[in-house]
Amino acid sequence: MLDFLKFAVNVNHNPRAVQIALRVSAPLSVLCIYAALLLMLPGTAECADAVAATHPKDAPIAIRFKDIRQSAGITFRQDGTGTDEKLYLETMGTGLAWLDFDQDGLMDLFFIQSAATDAYKPSRPLRCALYRNNGDGTFTDVTERAGVGGIGHYAQGVSVGDFDNDGFPDLYVTGFGSAILYHNNGNGTFTDVTAKAGVGDLGGWSTSAGWFDYDKDGWLDLLVTNYIDWSPKNNVYCGERRPGYRSYCHPGNYRGQKTKLFHNNHDGTFADVSDSSGVGKPESKGMGVVLADFNGDGWTDIAIANDSWPNFLFLNKHNGTFEDVSFLSGVAAGEEGRYEAGMGIDAADVDGDGWLDIYITHLDFELNRLYRNNRDSTFIDDTFGSGLGNSAVLLSGVSMKFLDYDNDGWNDIVQVNGAMLDNIQLYHSEISYPEPLLMYRNLGKGQFEKVSDSLGPDFLRPVVGRAIATADFDNDGDMDIAINNRDDYPELLRNDGGNANHWLEVLLIGTKSNRDGVGASLKLSAEGFVKVEQAKGGMGYMSASDPRIQFGLGKHTKIDSLEITWPSGQVDKLTNVQVDRIIAVKEGVGIVPRTFPIVPTH
């Protein structure tokens, strides 16, 4: 290995060759020290960062995730609607959402459900399910009273946002053929306002969605991803023509659709600005979306994971339009230039430089990609440099979410997996249909290691995972995980031990800005430790997570300041903020009284 490294430096003077050598052999820190100190090669800044990242940190704390779905009283089961016809819809799964629909300070849980198809007739009507958090470790099904069952609608995903700024989160449910917008009435019930709002007929198959205020007028707008031009009538036969070998098709068999952007008119209606904004012009095969500021200009941009199609990055031009920089930015494809099966997507600052990086999941025999932000509207594929590499090449990464599961101050990655083909072993004996979850712990500066095996048997149980969402449902300071599995019961994985480190969670209440504070930037300083987070839209795959902003603080016991820059331009700087608590911050006011009951879960 060292001989190859010497050759790369002394003969070729090729930094890229050094990077290749570093990927395939000895421990990164040893090789970087050798390259940087002994050979003094120009361009070894990446190595220097990697060496710094391997400096000893506090010893990891003991954490286990326990599945409490049964004891919590959650009886929902996702119906995969599977048939021998292999309708494309069947394999996609459905999403889920965390939201505090009744504003009692506790995160409630909403599961998305499928429906009957031309080939599948269930014995009873299928419906989505809304579970109210009782505050004692259990949940109650309140779907009927709430009016959000959506019977007959083959739902796919969900996005949560307070589109009318009344203080209660509303629900947008995507699906095949149509979508539904539910307005939260503030009394435990919802009203279907789709027809009035004008956001139901999307012309096809909507998957993920996200709320954001792209023009900074103080009202949330809606971004919807659409998938492929498929219907039961054009369902192609794929796979071998012998019993049991029919398979679900590759998306390359179908044309893509177009992304939709709806502008909030402030009166309960929306205007379709997909074409005029530029977002709806390119053909897409959209699966996941994250809405965040990627170039540091204070305006929210759009990143979309496409299935076997170039990923999208649209930069906000501040005038109601977006610039498509997908190829120029480097996120359209991996470093090999191949378009992969993009599904789940999220953004976070993984290396501590204050800029958001992007992670996208892909199917088996592909790589899950980490794109590191170069701070100039471009990204570099850092999948191998980060230590992620091909560690999950035999797993199908369907969705993921950034979270700080151990509250050490660095953003980690949790990923849900599950093969797309229920008969996958007929084609690939080394691949299984149900697959285990993954957790990658951030060692600092964006260097990751897989720690799944240390998180307990419930975390490792193989599932046909589809959607994942995170929340601190028991308000104890560490992030819990909910997963919607295909044709199975969901999982509610309680984090036991993550709050051994210090933490802070922040609920934003906008006034001039949109009520949810989406688009705000938060900078926390604690005894020399600085962390930047954003209030983002979308995230993951067809799902919505806890809107409260999480800060892991490690062993830091004092917060020096918390500076919040709101979309309106208002800057609130808070001092004397105590650790280990959830706070509500109102734009222009500061911390305001709000109750967040701690749930006795042990």
Side-chain angles (χ1 to χ4, degrees):
M1 173 61 211
L2 292 181
D3 288 339
F4 176 78
L5 189 57
K6 289 177 183 178
F7 175 80
V9 176
N10 296 329
V11 178
N12 291 337
H13 301 283
N14 185 348
R16 182 59 176 163
V18 173
Q19 293 174 6
I20 293 172
L22 293 176
R23 288 182 180 183
V24 297
S25 188
L28 185 60
S29 58
V30 174
L31 292 173
C32 285
I33 290 171
Y34 185 87
L37 300 182
L38 187 61
L39 302 173
M40 300 301 291
L41 172 73
T44 53
E46 180 178 335
C47 291
D49 286 344
V51 172
T54 59
H55 284 175
K57 292 176 47 174
D58 294 329
I61 57 179
I63 296 174
R64 295 291 185 272
F65 283 90
K66 181 177 178 59
D67 186 1
I68 63 165
R69 192 264 311 169
Q70 287 183 287
S71 63
I74 294 173
T75 59
F76 172 87
R77 182 181 176 118
Q78 202 271 349
D79 193 318
T81 68
T83 68
D84 292 338
E85 294 298 312
K86 299 291 184 183
L87 300 183
Y88 213 125
L89 272 176
E90 299 168 3
T91 192
M92 302 292 286
T94 53
L96 74 163
W98 288 103
L99 74 159
D100 183 3
F101 80 91
D102 52 3
Q103 292 295 282
D104 64 353
L106 295 162
M107 298 305 298
D108 311 300
L109 194 50
F110 185 50
F111 292 100
I112 302 303
Q113 183 62 287
S114 56
T117 68
D118 293 345
Y120 181 78
K121 305 300 179 185
S123 58
R124 56 183 177 81
L126 303 177
R127 64 171 175 83
C128 300
L130 177 62
Y131 284 88
R132 181 181 183 273
N133 189 333
N134 297 324
D136 60 1
T138 67
F139 290 75
T140 298
D141 188 334
V142 295
T143 311
E144 296 303 324
R145 180 176 187 274
V148 292
I151 294 176
H153 176 228
Y154 203 115
Q156 288 279 255
V158 58
S159 185
V160 178
D162 183 2
F163 76 83
D164 57 354
N165 289 329
D166 67 353
F168 289 89
D170 309 299
L171 290 167
Y172 184 74
V173 181
T174 64
F176 178 71
S178 63
I180 302 174
L181 178 61
Y182 292 108
H183 174 257
N184 190 329
N185 299 321
N187 60 1
T189 69
F190 291 76
T191 299
D192 183 343
V193 296
T194 313
K196 176 187 176 183
V199 293
D201 185 6
L202 302 171
W205 183 357
S206 53
T207 52
S208 292
W211 295 95
F212 71 137
D213 184 6
Y214 75 89
D215 56 356
K216 292 193 177 186
D217 65 355
W219 297 75
L220 288 179
D221 310 299
L222 179 63
L223 190 286
V224 187
T225 64
N226 284 298
Y227 192 39
I228 56 174
D229 184 14
W230 173 92
S231 76
K233 295 180 180 179
N234 68 356
N235 191 55
V236 178
Y237 190 105
C238 292
E240 298 181 29
R241 289 187 177 272
R242 50 176 170 151
Y245 276 78
R246 185 171 184 176
S247 65
Y248 297 103
C249 293
H250 187 276
N253 288 280
Y254 301 93
R255 289 187 58 83
Q257 297 187 325
K258 299 296 182 71
T259 305
K260 289 286 187 177
L261 178 60
F262 296 97
H263 177 261
N264 193 326
N265 295 327
H266 313 174
D267 60 1
T269 68
F270 291 77
D272 186 342
V273 295
S274 309
D275 291 337
S276 62
S277 67
V279 171
K281 291 183 178 180
E283 180 182 348
S284 67
K285 298 182 180 183
M287 298 295 271
V289 62
V290 60
L291 308 165
D293 177 12
F294 292 105
N295 59 356
D297 64 357
W299 293 72
T300 305
D301 310 305
I302 302 168
I304 296 174
N306 284 310
D307 189 358
S308 304
W309 198 255
N311 301 313
F312 292 159
L313 179 60
F314 295 100
L315 294 183
N316 195 323
K317 296 177 66 176
H318 313 173
N319 61 1
T321 68
F322 290 81
E323 180 183 3
D324 184 352
V325 298
S326 306
F327 290 95
L328 293 175
S329 67
V331 303
E335 64 180 354
E336 298 87 359
R338 186 164 62 95
Y339 306 139
E340 296 171 305
M343 298 190 71
I345 184 172
D346 197 8
D349 175 16
V350 302
D351 52 9
D353 65 356
W355 294 71
L356 295 191
D357 311 295
I358 298 173
Y359 186 87
I360 301 178
T361 63
H362 298 103
L363 300 189
D364 45 32
F365 303 108
E366 299 177 339
L367 301 180
N368 302 299
R369 301 284 179 175
L370 177 65
Y371 296 97
R372 196 184 297 264
N373 197 323
N374 292 326
R375 304 178 234 178
D376 60 1
S377 299
T378 69
F379 293 75
I380 185 171
D381 183 347
D382 197 34
T383 303
F384 280 93
S386 64
L388 295 168
N390 60 3
S391 60
V393 72
L394 295 181
L395 300 178
S396 288
V398 183
S399 187
M400 57 77 58
K401 185 73 176 60
F402 281 113
L403 79 167
D404 187 356
Y405 82 98
D406 55 358
N407 280 324
D408 69 349
W410 294 94
N411 285 302
D412 311 303
I413 297 170
V414 62
Q415 179 174 312
V416 63
N417 308 289
M420 291 293 109
L421 304 182
D422 51 4
N423 55 359
I424 185 66
Q425 287 197 305
L426 296 178
Y427 291 92
H428 297 287
S429 60
E430 68 273 38
I431 304 296
S432 64
Y433 185 43
E435 298 173 342
L437 299 177
L438 287 174
M439 182 74 80
Y440 292 105
R441 181 172 184 255
N442 192 334
L443 301 176
K445 295 189 179 296
Q447 297 294 307
F448 292 88
E449 70 171 354
K450 188 169 69 172
V451 295
S452 313
D453 291 347
S454 70
L455 301 179
D458 289 351
F459 190 88
L460 289 175
R461 182 174 73 88
V463 296
V464 185
R466 289 299 181 259
I468 189 169
T470 59
D472 182 7
F473 83 87
D474 47 9
N475 289 338
D476 68 348
D478 49 32
M479 282 293 147
D480 312 296
I481 301 168
I483 300 167
N484 208 357
N485 298 312
R486 181 179 184 257
D487 214 26
D488 199 355
Y489 293 104
E491 293 173 288
L492 178 54
L493 297 173
R494 187 185 64 207
N495 185 329
D496 292 340
N499 54 9
N501 280 324
H502 296 296
W503 55 276
L504 178 74
E505 294 172 20
V506 183
L507 175 68
L508 298 176
I509 304 174
T511 53
K512 296 178 184 177
S513 304
N514 65 84
R515 178 73 180 226
D516 293 345
V518 176
S521 176
L522 297 84
K523 181 180 179 181
L524 180 144
S525 299
E527 303 173 312
F529 168 76
V530 177
K531 187 175 183 182
V532 176
E533 293 287 351
Q534 289 186 27
K536 301 169 291 187
M539 296 176 284
Y541 170 68
M542 305 197 300
S543 299
S545 291
D546 193 333
R548 299 173 295 189
I549 310 300
Q550 174 204 18
F551 288 95
L553 301 175
K555 303 306 179 186
H556 298 288
T557 59
K558 179 184 177 182
I559 296 173
D560 299 314
S561 67
L562 175 63
E563 184 174 291
I564 303 174
T565 303
W566 299 83
S568 67
Q570 168 75 29
V571 178
D572 292 329
K573 188 168 184 177
L574 312 178
T575 57
N576 300 318
V577 179
Q578 295 181 300
V579 302
D580 299 338
R581 64 194 58 231
I582 306 172
I583 62 173
V585 180
K586 191 172 185 178
E587 183 179 8
V589 177
I591 299 176
V592 295
R594 192 71 177 262
T595 301
F596 300 98
I598 298 177
V599 177
T601 56
H602 297 278

